[in-house]
Amino acid sequence: MATSSRNHIGWIDLAKGISILLVVFHHGIQSVYGIPGLELSGITATAANIYELLSQKLVPIRMPLFFMISGFLVHRAATQYQWKEVWFKRVQTIWYVYVLWSLIQWAAVSYIMWSVGAEKPATETMISNYANDLGTFAGLTLIGTSSLWYLYALPVYFILCKVMSSRPGFAIGFFLACHFLSSYYNLQFPTSSIVKNGIFYAIGVFFAPVLFPMINNISHKAFLYIGGILAAKVGLGFIGVDVGLLNTLMFVTIMVFFINWFQEHADIAVLRWIGKNTLSIYIIHHILLKLLVFVLVPMMISAGWFNNNAFATAWALFAPVVALVFMTAGSLFIWKYTHSGAGKYLYESPRRAVVGTNPA
């Protein structure tokens, strides 16, 4: 059994590890079944539909959990420290990595697709990764329209939470309004996700002093909290109001409590380690996914591997899992051999804008 002090950190790393794997898994499902030359029928089509359904059901957990954990981790930075103590780590470095890796992804994805003669998907041309020129890329990156939108959103949320830190109730109300307005105006992805998910980050920031003790020491208060969310959902249901936010909060809360309980009774060190290295996986895996979809699988098709019914069936059944392992392991491998020496500047800003006394 893990020690108490390690559990309080361990469950956060475990939650981050699960979150990033869910994100990568989702991206794999989106891509591996739409590869040109692969036909789905019978059991293979059924497998694809099941994975798609699973991915949809995980939507309330995947990014909201990621953002709530991110909010937990910056509570003191957002509410107690001075700007000069937090700007470098919480804003400058994250935006630096966002811009740098948006550029790297754009160059890598463009080269991969050009080398195989693939056309850029029409439905994704408004993402900076698929921009046709530098000007379009710069414009889309500037407004967060990128596959790395999570890194764009984090500093925005942090700045807003810090500016409103003296009025947490107002901050929560602001992010709630953004959440509902995103749905009302039917914003396009990823703008919709940026506007919608701020509430989970804000809850993590401002409710950390309440939720952390409740999570670390599960008691009747935890069940009262979940029961309160459930009661609100049921009550609104009686008057015909379906608030998806309550569903998400309930799922995320239950997930967090479960992860902490699980960490107390079992220790999956590899998941905790992945949770400590989410950044490298997040920024690199998209390139590896395009390599898999546009190069490696077409090579297998050309080699006749998919003419074997057993292989084709196995691929349909396990392709998202194979893609998950390939992207996760590949990203960590690349990070391991590139993050030392000058390579560290691929993952952090090369200099501080303002030298602070506390690396919050």
Side-chain angles (χ1 to χ4, degrees), residues 18 47 60 79 93 127 130 177 187 193 289 333 358:
I18 291 173
T79 61
T93 284
I127 300 293
Y130 302 95
L187 299 176
S193 292
L289 178 59
F333 179 84
N358 195 327

Side-chain angles (χ1 to χ4, degrees), residues 227-278:
I229 297 176
L230 181 60
K233 173 179 168 53
V234 172
L236 290 171
F238 277 126
I239 59 176
V241 178
D242 182 19
V243 180
L245 177 61
L246 291 177
N247 294 335
T248 301
L249 284 175
M250 186 167 62
F251 287 138
V252 169
T253 302
I254 293 173
M255 187 71 176
V256 168
F257 285 131
F258 172 77
I259 289 172
N260 183 46
W261 174 87
F262 187 85
Q263 175 64 20
E264 289 181 347
H265 295 82
D267 182 24
I268 306 180
V270 67
L271 268 181
R272 286 193 293 109
W273 182 70
I274 288 174
K276 295 177 181 178
N277 295 281
T278 55

Side-chain angles (χ1 to χ4, degrees), residues 137-213:
F137 164 80
L140 293 173
T141 301
L142 185 63
I143 61 174
T145 309
S146 164
S147 64
L148 299 178
W149 63 270
Y150 171 78
L151 295 182
Y152 178 89
L154 282 181
V156 173
Y157 296 161
F158 179 80
I159 291 171
L160 290 172
C161 285
K162 190 159 186 63
V163 168
M164 296 184 282
S165 60
S166 62
R167 302 179 64 186
F170 180 81
I172 293 295
F174 171 80
F175 282 108
L176 271 175
C178 290
H179 178 87
F180 291 116
L181 286 173
S182 173
S183 300
Y184 179 80
Y185 285 105
N186 196 27
L187 299 176
Q188 291 186 337
F189 176 85
T191 304
S192 60
S193 292
I194 294 172
V195 176
K196 182 176 294 185
N197 282 293
I199 183 59
F200 305 108
Y201 184 91
I203 289 173
V205 170
F206 296 112
F207 286 89
V210 175
L211 294 178
F212 247 104

